[in-house]
Amino acid sequence: SFGRDSAQGEALWAGASQVERVNMRAWIPIALSADLSAEAAGLKMPVLAVVSPRSWEPGETWAHASAGLGLARIPSLKATRIDSCGHFVMLDQPRALSEAIRRFAALSESTFALR
């Protein structure tokens, strides 16, 4: 379900299937249950959340999506949604991702410059 379509989903599954079972079995419960939102609330630096429509659905408010993702309490958070991709934005839309990072870095540099 992390792929942008069934073909990519199958390729991701094939890759994940190559990971030793003991490692995958240890990782899955952590990935599904870890809640780092309290720690994230303490971040002082600017943070960019880049998400796909699967994590932030079109028509959904960012307030609702950020709460579900555990990001709502990050003080200096900017979010952007990149369309036409699955969970792994860097695989599906690398140019759009790099442009989002470039814009954020430029904004952060001018807004949060050391004084």
Side-chain angles (χ1 to χ4, degrees), residues 39-88:
E39 290 84 353
L43 294 173
K44 303 291 186 230
M45 75 290 284
V47 176
L48 174 65
V50 179
V51 296
S52 74
R54 290 190 179 191
S55 298
W56 179 13
E57 295 179 11
E60 180 183 21
T61 66
W62 175 244
H64 183 264
S66 65
L69 295 169
L71 304 174
R73 295 173 46 204
I74 299 174
S76 296
L77 178 70
K78 178 173 180 2
T80 188
R81 177 178 43 232
I82 296 182
D83 294 322
S84 302
C85 60
H87 178 73
F88 298 102

Side-chain angles (χ1 to χ4, degrees), residues 31-42:
L32 294 175
S33 65
D35 180 2
L36 300 175
S37 57
E39 290 84 353

Side-chain angles (χ1 to χ4, degrees), residues 82-101:
I82 296 182
D83 294 322
S84 302
C85 60
H87 178 73
F88 298 102
V89 176
M90 65 286 205
L91 296 177
D92 299 329
Q93 296 290 345
R95 287 190 176 134
L97 175 60
S98 65
E99 180 59 21
I101 293 168

